[in-house]
Amino acid sequence: MGTSDLNATVEIKSGLQKEPWTWAQAATLSLDEKGFRDPEGLGRAGTEPGILDISRVTQMLLSTFDRDDLCAVLDHLVRLREALKH
C-alpha cells in the first residue's frame, strides 16, 4: 500500500434525546491507512498522532454501544468495502 493522506472520521451515535436534540452515547473514530488514531488526544500539538490498538478501540465501542446494534451498522461498511474491491 502506498503512502496516502486519505483519512476518515466515523461518528457513531445512539440514544437520541428529544430535548435538546442530543445523543446519549457517541463515539468518534479517526482512521487512515495505518489504523485507528486518537481523535482528541495525541498529535494536537503538531506531533504524529498515535495509532490505537484494535483491542482498545473494541473495548471503547463495547463500553458505549450494544454489540449487536453496532455490528449491524458496521456490516454496511464491510459490504461497501467488498463492493469497492470489485
Side-chain angles (χ1 to χ4, degrees):
M1 193 179 285
T3 303
S4 170
D5 64 353
L6 184 66
N7 63 79
T9 301
V10 178
E11 290 184 337
I12 303 171
K13 302 173 185 175
S14 180
L16 180 63
Q17 307 295 300
K18 301 280 185 194
E19 295 292 332
W21 303 102
T22 58
W23 297 94
Q25 298 89 25
T28 302
L29 299 176
S30 295
L31 57 147
D32 62 19
E33 67 180 13
K34 294 179 183 176
F36 293 96
R37 297 184 176 272
D38 185 344
E40 298 180 9
L42 303 172
R44 289 275 169 146
T47 58
E48 177 75 359
I51 300 294
L52 298 177
D53 183 84
I54 192 71
S55 63
R56 187 170 166 194
V57 175
T58 301
Q59 181 181 31
M60 181 266 298
L61 290 175
L62 291 177
S63 70
T64 307
F65 303 102
D66 175 80
R67 180 187 307 267
D68 292 338
D69 292 346
L70 187 59
C71 287
V73 169
L74 294 178
D75 281 347
H76 293 293
L77 291 177
V78 173
R79 287 183 27 232
L80 175 59
R81 179 184 178 273
E82 290 303 312
L84 289 168
K85 289 172 63 175
H86 299 289

